[in-house]
Amino acid sequence: GEASSVTLESMRYGVPVIVRSDFGWYSELPDDSVVKVASEEEILEKLISLKNNKEKLRKISESAQKTTLNNFNTEEYVKKLISPLRGRNE
């Protein structure tokens, strides 16, 4: 929970986040909103690539902000929390 929260807050502010491409919930994040790596060995390579490609870095930042705004806002969170309960009273 805490790591996921930090990831989303970083994305909300447009800070590029590096996640494992095959690890749980992180693998479900959009490919254009985070930097995905398959192993720790890839991290340095990805960081150097981003340092040398400011346009790609800008696009990831913008996409991360849009992703959190559209999918991980308070309203969506509450909807997901109460959705299992809606069918019980109907």
Side-chain angles (χ1 to χ4, degrees):
E2 192 171 319
S4 299
S5 176
V6 170
T7 298
L8 291 175
E9 281 303 301
S10 296
M11 291 173 65
R12 187 178 323 282
Y13 288 99
V15 176
V17 178
I18 297 175
V19 299
R20 287 285 301 259
S21 58
D22 61 348
F23 188 74
W25 173 80
Y26 298 107
S27 66
E28 298 174 23
L29 293 170
D31 292 347
D32 62 349
S33 297
V34 294
V35 178
K36 292 187 176 181
V37 297
S39 68
E40 289 79 14
E41 290 78 20
E42 281 186 62
I43 294 173
L44 183 57
E45 174 188 327
K46 294 281 186 168
L47 288 174
I48 291 170
S49 173
L50 286 175
K51 179 181 178 266
N52 294 329
N53 190 340
K54 301 294 185 197
E55 182 63 18
K56 183 175 181 179
L57 187 61
R58 184 187 63 74
K59 287 181 179 180
I60 289 171
S61 178
E62 288 175 359
S63 180
Q65 289 176 315
K66 288 178 187 174
T67 296
T68 54
L69 179 66
N70 295 329
N71 302 306
F72 298 103
N73 58 57
T74 305
E75 183 178 343
E76 289 301 315
Y77 180 73
V78 171
K79 282 181 188 177
K80 289 175 184 171
L81 280 176
I82 64 171
S83 65
L85 303 175
R86 290 185 181 223
R88 292 182 181 182
N89 296 328
E90 296 177 345

